[in-house]
């Protein structure tokens, strides 16, 4: 049991039902994640209706376990409730949001809506408490691919984003096409280890052009290649695809760090678990003399500790959220685009 105040975090934006308790100094006192991967696997992707219903079933026991593991049994058991209010799947977000509001009302404690993307940034902070600003964050997940300049906590500037598919979405689609199952990212990562990354010259869209990304052409190129050469080794296709994605991600992130004078490059989001991306980011940062902030595997994927930590910071630096706060499936991080383009 940590000292007070304690913040309960709740995350239900996609297919992870999670709750966590964070104490003073951003200490993670408990963190419980119930993954729905098995539920969605046979459909080859997240089915929003099923995700929403599973969150309804799982959230009460997951929150109870997080509180119990934290030894948070007082009255109130925690001092604030933070919850992801977007971006994400509407039905899933609403489950977490209404649950969090009910708890905050019953316990008469502040309620804080947290941007999921800001949560991913705090995940990096939980792993690296000594982060120094400014930083460039490459946030790559199933729903997002953004390059953000973080000038300090709460001060975000969008440098670029994907114009079509998210990086994780491309991994998932290519995996499905290669018959590797769901979730696709880890499967492509695994099989690519035994393949030749130079077997196929897949396109590197917008490589030397600004900070925006595009992955839909790459996905189409993979499909066309396999259709034309059905005998191609899946491992070679996976390795060549992964090489193309990682090369573009790292080249743009690296350019952004140089252009902004950032002290380091921080990876966040589910695709940050990719072994090649982790290695290339570490190598590039070492070469460039800047810090490489690569989160632990547990902090790459969705969890509620990152939401509780972001909520704790928000609570100290601003007002709590009104109970009328709604879910925003397209909530965005950072205001205007930065001029480093
Ligand atoms: O952040 P996250 O858990 O959920 C979202 O907010 O989207 O990210 C999930 C995404 C999925 O697309 C998954 O395939 C991808 O992260 N992913 C990976 C790896 N592990 C997970 N992509 C590439 N390589 C991996 N090892
Ligand atoms: Zn996420």
């Amino acid at each position: 049991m940590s000292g007070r105040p304690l913040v309960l975090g709740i995350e239900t934006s996609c297919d992870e039902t999670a709750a966590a308790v964070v104490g003073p100094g951003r200490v993670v006192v408990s963190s419980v994640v119930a993954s729905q991967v098995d539920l969605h696997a046979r459909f080859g992707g997240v089915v929003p209706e099923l995700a929403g219903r599973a969150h309804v079933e799982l959230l009460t026991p997951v929150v109870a376990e997080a509180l119990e593991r934290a030894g948070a049994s007082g009255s109130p058991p925690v001092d604030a409730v933070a919850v992801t209010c977007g971006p994400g799947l509407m039905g899933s977000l609403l489950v977490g949001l209404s649950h969090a509001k009910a708890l905050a009302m019953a316990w008469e404690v502040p309620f804080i809506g947290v941007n999921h993307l800001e949560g991913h940034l705090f995940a990096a902070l939980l792993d690296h408490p000594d982060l120094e600003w400014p930083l460039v964050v490459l946030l790559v997940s199933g729903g997002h691919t953004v390059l953000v300049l973080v000038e300090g906590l709460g001060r975000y500037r969008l440098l670029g984003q994907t114009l079509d598919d998210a990086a994780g979405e491309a991994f998932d689609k290519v995996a499905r096409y290669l018959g590797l199952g769901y979730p696709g990212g880890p499967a492509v990562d695994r099989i690519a280890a035994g393949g030749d990354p130079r077997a196929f010259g897949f396109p590197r869209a917008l490589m030397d052009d600004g900070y925006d990304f595009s992955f839909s052409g790459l996905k189409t190129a993979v499909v066309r290649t396999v259709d034309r050469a059905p005998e191609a080794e899946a491992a070679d296709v996976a390795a060549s695809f992964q090489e193309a994605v990682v090369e573009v991600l790292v080249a743009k992130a690296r350019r952004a760090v140089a252009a902004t004078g950032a002290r380091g490059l921080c990876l966040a989001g589910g695709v940050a678990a990719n072994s090649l991306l982790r290695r290339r980011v570490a190598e590039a940062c070492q070469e460039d003399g800047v810090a490489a902030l690569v989160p632990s595997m547990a902090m790459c994927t969705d969890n509620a500790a990152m939401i509780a930590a972001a909520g704790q910071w928000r609570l100290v630096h601003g007002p709590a959220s009104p109970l009328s706060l709604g879910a925003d499936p397209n909530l965005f991080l950072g205001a205007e685009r930065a001029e480093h383009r």
Side-chain angles (χ1 to χ4, degrees):
M1 173 86 185
S2 165
R4 303 295 283 244
L6 293 174
V7 178
L8 170 68
I10 291 177
E11 156 64 39
T12 63
S13 67
C14 191
D15 60 342
E16 245 84 49
T17 312
V21 176
V22 167
R26 247 175 247 139
V27 173
V28 180
V29 193
S30 69
S31 181
V32 180
V33 181
S35 172
Q36 301 176 12
V37 162
D38 296 342
L39 177 67
H40 300 285
R42 66 195 166 105
F43 300 104
V46 178
V47 183
E49 273 292 312
L50 291 182
R53 240 178 284 160
H55 286 308
V56 171
E57 277 170 26
L58 291 167
L59 192 51
T60 299
V62 164
V63 167
E65 192 174 338
L67 292 174
E68 192 187 325
R69 282 197 209 169
S73 55
S75 183
V78 296
D79 304 285
V81 182
V83 62
T84 302
C85 58
L89 301 171
M90 190 56 164
S92 295
L93 288 168
L94 284 174
V95 175
L97 207 59
S98 40
H99 199 98
K101 286 179 187 175
L103 291 177
M105 268 163 77
W107 293 333
E108 295 180 1
V109 298
F111 156 80
I112 313 137
V114 171
N115 183 317
H116 182 79
L117 303 181
E118 186 173 45
H120 273 298
L121 170 67
F122 273 81
L125 202 60
L126 287 171
D127 273 345
H128 304 276
D130 47 350
L131 284 191
E132 287 186 55
W133 321 109
L135 267 186
V136 167
V137 178
L138 173 63
L139 204 164
V140 269
S141 70
H144 297 88
T145 299
V146 289
L147 257 182
V148 183
L149 174 65
V150 181
E151 294 165 326
L153 286 177
R155 288 168 35 223
Y156 313 116
R157 282 174 165 274
L158 174 71
L159 296 171
Q161 62 188 326
T162 183
L163 303 175
D164 39 56
D165 290 353
E169 197 179 348
F171 268 95
D172 292 335
K173 285 178 177 169
V174 165
R176 194 182 328 177
Y177 188 71
L178 293 176
L180 299 177
Y182 169 86
V188 169
D189 195 349
R190 217 173 306 120
I191 186 175
D196 176 5
R198 285 170 304 275
F200 301 97
F202 291 133
R204 271 78 166 152
L206 308 176
M207 183 72 165
D208 302 310
D209 185 11
Y211 297 124
D212 285 335
F213 302 91
S214 168
F215 294 113
S216 73
L218 171 59
K219 176 195 63 196
T220 310
V222 170
V223 170
R224 212 173 290 141
T225 298
V226 176
D227 282 349
R228 279 200 204 124
E231 74 289 351
E233 289 288 337
D236 290 343
V237 176
S240 302
F241 159 77
Q242 182 175 266
E243 181 74 27
V245 175
V246 169
E247 214 175 278
V248 175
L249 291 175
V250 175
K252 293 198 183 232
R254 200 172 185 179
R255 194 146 34 82
V257 171
T260 57
R263 292 181 179 219
L265 172 60
C266 177
L267 273 183
V271 183
N274 184 265
S275 58
L276 183 67
L277 180 61
R278 297 168 78 86
R279 197 165 68 236
R280 290 282 169 81
V281 162
E283 287 166 2
C285 289
Q286 195 177 16
E287 227 169 83
D288 298 345
V290 296
L293 302 147
V294 179
S296 62
M297 297 302 248
M299 279 300 159
C300 289
T301 40
D302 290 347
N303 63 83
M306 68 188 199
I307 303 302
Q312 184 186 57
W313 185 84
R314 285 264 155 219
L315 192 62
V316 171
H317 292 87
S321 305
L323 285 170
S324 57
L325 182 77
D328 182 351
N330 302 311
L331 189 62
F332 183 68
L333 182 69
E336 74 283 30
R337 269 173 184 261
E339 56 283 355
H340 309 278
R341 299 172 60 78

